[in-house]
Amino acid sequence: MQQTVRVRFAPSPTGELHIGGVRTALFNWLFARNNNGQFILRVDDTDKQRSSEIYLQSILNSFRWLNLDWDEGPEVGGSYGPYRQSERLNFYLEEVERLLEQGKAYTCFCTAEELEADREKCRSLGQPPRYSGRCRNLTPDDISAKKKKGFSYVIRAITPESGETVVDDLIRGKVFFENKVFDDPIIIKSDGLPTYNFASVVDDHKMKITHVIRAEEHLSNTPRQQIIALQLGYELPSYAHVPMILAPDHSKLSKRHGATSVQEYRDLGILPEALLNYLALLGWSPGHDREIMSMAEMIELFSLERVSKNPAVYDMQKLIWLNGHYLRNASTVRITEMAIPFLLKESIISEEQVSQEKEKIEAVVGLVKEKVKTLSEIAEASVYFFHDDFVYDQAGVEKHFKKDGAAQMLIQIEEALQKASAFSAEELEKTFADLSKKTQIPLNKINPATRLAVTGRLMGPDLFPLLALLGREKVLARIKKARALFCLD
């Protein structure tokens, strides 16, 4: 009978969820959904000093915002819980005790000075620094005596001293590691808590994880985990290590290259579907040069065979471009709800306006979202719809208002708009066409001057819907103001 695919993502609640982690989680999620399997969210919180409930809630909120649901894990439950490693100590201690009884692990009392001496000796011989294994042969009486004297100790698993460990990676193929380069790994620290490598192995087994899909940086951990798993008598899961994400200059991606956490992207006004679409393309190719995909399409197309071995290069401009596509194609109602916090933050609208002028706000968002790429740009592009005290583009003023005939042209525009039978986009377009024909002034002079007078800008949404939305009274008042401020001929 075919085994049900079970994958996991195990973040540490020691900081915000970063895009590298999201990409790894997304690949796991897509693999599970493509194979009708389960996606498990497990919390690696054994680092008590650095773990925080605030960070955990932030991580969970990020997953919710991204619409990446988990089948088992915190707040969902499941048959293999608990799903926080800090609550699973009994599982680790049971397995450690079994290894000790079988002679596959031992108590190590070596001091920091002794460990450094071992490393220095290896370095002097041109060998990889590793622990000598001096505590492997301590007798039960030795161990008991040291414990009675209060010596600090750890528990180490025994590693083969010869031969090799082979990681059969689903993306990279077979990767070989010589066992002689490995220490006997610490599996229980001096504080009684498990190490990452040990806890992960035990949890993956207990939770019946079939595939471990994780970042390339964990590849060096995999042979150690395989050794521990084999000592415990576990069947190995399949491993797949996804490529690194590099900065545009091919250095390690960091904060100096832009936003790195999910919350930062949210604050920039990136849509969740745009972020997921972009991250999916970092190291995975759906084929046929496809770039824009719905989640359903990504699920259908995803396979580990199409994940690259090579590093992926982060490109903020491509993400912004994708976000613009999703903004234009999303419903205005939804984008309005998402844009309102940005409008409030910049004091472009008030809470009172949100409750009393919702239709106008929605109309403004519907108009400007066609020309912007982020939610924060929607806020900036909406200022002149709600405020009259905007700043005029100085280059535009020089070009359109400081030339001979500018005042007369604005007067003619004002008169034409006063006489327009209706202030609709269709009627205004006809009014301007008639004005151009009558005055012999081309539209490429009339339209920019009008836009500059009523918005202070030379760029923006289509002019005639913009004028219609502002309304006749406001448009005429702004043209008068511009004429008084700039047109002196």
Side-chain angles (χ1 to χ4, degrees):
M1 189 173 78
Q2 188 174 6
Q3 194 175 27
T4 300
V5 166
R6 289 175 59 83
V7 297
R8 50 75 166 175
F9 180 66
S12 296
T14 55
E16 302 287 349
L17 182 62
H18 285 203
I19 60 167
V22 177
R23 197 273 305 263
T24 300
L26 174 61
F27 281 12
N28 275 277
W29 189 89
L30 290 173
F31 185 75
R33 297 294 174 256
N34 177 270
N35 288 279
N36 296 312
Q38 278 93 47
F39 173 70
I40 293 91
L41 189 60
R42 191 173 75 213
V43 182
D44 182 358
D45 61 347
T46 55
D47 187 341
K48 288 185 175 180
Q49 290 186 328
R50 296 174 59 226
S51 294
S52 161
E53 189 66 25
I54 293 174
Y55 283 134
L56 174 59
Q57 290 308 313
S58 175
I59 290 169
L60 297 181
N61 288 338
S62 293
F63 270 89
R64 293 188 190 98
W65 180 73
L66 291 164
N67 293 312
L68 292 179
D69 57 327
W70 55 99
D71 302 298
E72 298 175 25
E75 301 179 3
V76 172
S79 302
Y80 302 97
Y83 293 91
R84 298 174 65 147
Q85 289 188 331
S86 60
E87 298 173 1
R88 297 177 59 82
L89 189 58
N90 59 312
F91 292 112
Y92 312 132
L93 296 182
E94 285 174 5
E95 295 298 70
V96 166
E97 193 60 38
R98 186 160 65 85
L99 289 178
L100 288 169
E101 289 174 358
Q102 294 173 355
K104 296 177 179 178
Y106 60 92
T107 307
C108 175
F109 296 89
C110 291
T111 64
E113 292 76 18
E114 288 173 320
L115 296 175
E116 179 55 35
D118 286 344
R119 289 190 286 267
E120 186 57 41
K121 182 178 179 181
C122 290
R123 283 192 286 265
S124 68
L125 297 172
Q127 299 173 353
R130 64 195 301 269
Y131 171 55
S132 65
R134 71 168 57 82
C135 287
R136 273 192 183 191
N137 300 314
L138 289 177
T139 66
D141 288 342
D142 293 333
I143 294 169
S144 178
K146 287 180 178 291
K147 284 184 177 180
K148 283 181 180 178
K149 291 180 180 178
F151 286 115
S152 176
Y153 63 90
V154 298
I155 306 296
R156 293 180 182 267
I158 294 177
T159 297
E161 295 181 312
S162 60
E164 60 186 12
T165 296
V166 182
V167 176
D168 195 359
D169 192 279
L170 294 174
I171 295 172
R172 299 164 194 286
K174 293 184 184 297
V175 186
F176 297 86
F177 298 86
E178 291 188 76
N179 290 333
K180 67 181 182 181
V181 304
F182 299 129
D183 286 312
D184 287 344
I186 295 173
I187 55 178
I188 296 292
K189 296 176 289 186
S190 58
D191 61 4
L193 294 175
T195 58
Y196 163 76
N197 281 328
F198 185 66
S200 291
V201 168
V202 173
D203 288 341
D204 288 345
H205 175 74
K206 298 287 186 183
M207 294 182 181
K208 300 188 182 301
I209 301 301
T210 61
H211 296 76
V212 175
I213 304 169
R214 58 188 178 189
E216 180 186 355
E217 64 194 56
H218 286 290
L219 181 57
S220 61
N221 286 321
T222 304
R224 294 174 170 86
Q225 292 183 3
Q226 287 191 179
I227 289 169
I228 292 170
L230 292 173
Q231 292 283 50
L232 287 163
Y234 295 165
E235 182 178 346
L236 296 177
S238 297
Y239 289 95
H241 293 87
V242 300
M244 293 176 64
I245 301 175
L246 298 179
D249 61 1
H250 290 255
S251 64
K252 184 177 179 181
L253 187 64
S254 66
K255 202 170 184 66
R256 67 186 175 89
H257 300 109
T260 57
S261 73
V262 173
Q263 186 58 50
E264 286 175 306
Y265 283 98
R266 190 173 182 176
D267 292 344
L268 284 172
I270 300 297
L271 302 186
E273 58 267 40
L275 183 57
L276 290 174
N277 190 157
Y278 175 67
L279 291 177
L281 297 172
L282 289 181
W284 170 65
S285 170
H288 306 292
D289 295 322
R290 295 187 65 165
E291 292 191 313
I292 297 172
M293 296 168 289
S294 66
M295 288 301 288
E297 290 170 324
M298 283 191 272
I299 290 170
E300 181 182 355
L301 295 168
F302 188 81
S303 71
L304 291 174
E305 288 74 19
R306 298 195 72 91
V307 175
S308 174
K309 299 177 186 178
N310 301 317
V313 178
Y314 171 87
D315 183 353
M316 186 67 173
Q317 294 309 308
K318 186 170 183 178
L319 171 58
I320 297 295
W321 171 79
L322 269 173
N323 201 64
H325 166 82
Y326 280 102
L327 265 180
R328 290 189 296 276
N329 288 278
S331 76
T332 298
V333 172
R334 176 181 173 231
I335 297 302
T336 300
E337 290 301 321
M338 298 180 79
I340 283 173
F342 291 86
L343 293 163
L344 289 169
K345 181 182 177 183
E346 299 300 325
S347 300
I348 294 168
I349 59 174
S350 64
E351 292 284 2
E352 186 178 7
Q353 285 174 294
V354 173
S355 61
Q356 296 182 3
E357 300 179 29
K358 194 66 172 289
E359 287 187 10
K360 177 186 176 180
I361 297 169
E362 194 171 298
V364 170
V365 171
L367 199 56
V368 302
K369 81 182 181 76
E370 299 300 317
K371 300 291 184 179
V372 300
K373 293 185 175 68
T374 67
L375 293 170
S376 56
E377 287 180 11
I378 284 180
E380 197 276 334
S382 302
V383 172
Y384 56 81
F385 285 101
F386 301 98
H387 297 273
D388 295 321
D389 57 342
F390 49 78
V391 176
Y392 294 86
D393 180 272
Q394 287 305 304
V397 169
E398 293 295 327
K399 181 176 181 179
H400 295 284
F401 294 163
K402 298 294 187 180
K403 300 291 179 67
D404 291 344
Q408 182 59 30
M409 181 175 66
L410 284 181
I411 290 171
Q412 290 169 320
I413 293 170
E414 188 180 333
E415 290 175 347
L417 290 173
Q418 285 175 330
K419 295 175 182 177
S421 59
F423 221 74
S424 65
E426 296 78 8
E427 183 62 28
L428 289 170
E429 186 172 8
K430 181 177 180 298
T431 296
F432 274 56
D434 291 345
L435 176 63
S436 176
K437 186 176 181 180
K438 176 183 175 182
T439 62
Q440 295 300 298
I441 302 174
L443 286 172
N444 63 9
K445 287 189 176 181
I446 293 175
N447 290 3
T450 305
R451 181 187 296 276
L452 183 62
V454 300
T455 71
R457 308 176 185 203
L458 293 176
M459 303 294 289
D462 292 344
L463 177 62
F464 304 115
L466 182 157
L467 296 176
L469 184 53
L470 283 170
R472 192 192 307 260
E473 182 180 345
K474 190 175 288 291
V475 167
L476 291 174
R478 288 183 179 182
I479 292 174
K480 282 186 172 69
K481 177 183 177 183
R483 187 154 52 85
L485 283 172
F486 305 111
C487 300
L488 306 177
D489 59 333

